[in-house]
Amino acid sequence: MAAIRGSPPKWKVQTVEELRKTFKSHPVVAIVSFRGVPSNQMQRIRRELRGKALIKVVKNTLIEKALEGLEDSYKKLEDFLYDQTAPVFTDMNPFKLYKLLEETKEPSPLKPNQISPVDVVVEKGPTPIPTGPMMAELQNAGIPVAIERGKVVVRETVTVVKAGEVVKPEVARALNVLGVKPIKIGLDTRVIYDNGVLLTPDVLAIDVEKVKSEFAAELLSFSLSSEFQELLRRSLELLCTHRTFQL
């Protein structure tokens, strides 16, 4: 039977409803970007997340529709739905989820005409590259090189591209020749929803276990301090005095 003109296709309605149910059944949801992630890497990511988290790759408009039928606290997630986006659903601690998502990232080379997100520095020193046409590739990229003992060496440290600059094709080729992979590609967390609270990467990047251990160390240090010992002594004296009066 044909769909009624003006009504959404059945598959869209079903997708939205399934998404809505998935949001409701998971207290923690990450909104991630998968821009630039190759299909083979995405397949590996899905395998690594299996049993821990569920990733759904659907159009942003369908995610927005799913959010419309949920509590108002979910509406805040709409601000993070742009470009290539996917929700990741889980029952795990949001900090552990963030760490898991960061582990999906793999070193990657810069592509020609890409805007570099980082400064790329080629350090002074020897390379495994033998003499030959590869040397010209490096020189064309502005990398000062020379020959020593039959191998190409970089004569001085140089910044070949700065953050925010477009990567020239000759620079991209030279970095590939050197095996330089200055960026990491994977699921990039924009925000994590945790039972109505939105947690951003600057908060999620905190090493919780490190903070716990540092707090425990500080507490132990205080308990061994002379001030604490004196406070404990006075407290015991007051307690003993109180017990004496009671007797």
Side-chain angles (χ1 to χ4, degrees), residues 181-217:
K181 297 180 178 181
I183 59 174
K184 287 189 174 183
I185 296 294
L187 300 183
D188 196 24
T189 304
R190 291 181 185 156
V191 70
I192 292 183
Y193 174 96
D194 178 21
N195 290 294
V197 178
L198 295 188
L199 301 171
T200 50
D202 57 326
V203 175
L204 293 161
I206 295 172
D207 189 332
V208 177
E209 294 304 319
K210 183 179 178 182
V211 171
K212 284 181 180 178
S213 63
E214 288 177 351
F215 177 76

Side-chain angles (χ1 to χ4, degrees), residues 13 31 66 80 93 120 135:
V13 175
I31 300 297
F80 302 91
N93 177 288
V120 181
M135 184 174 180

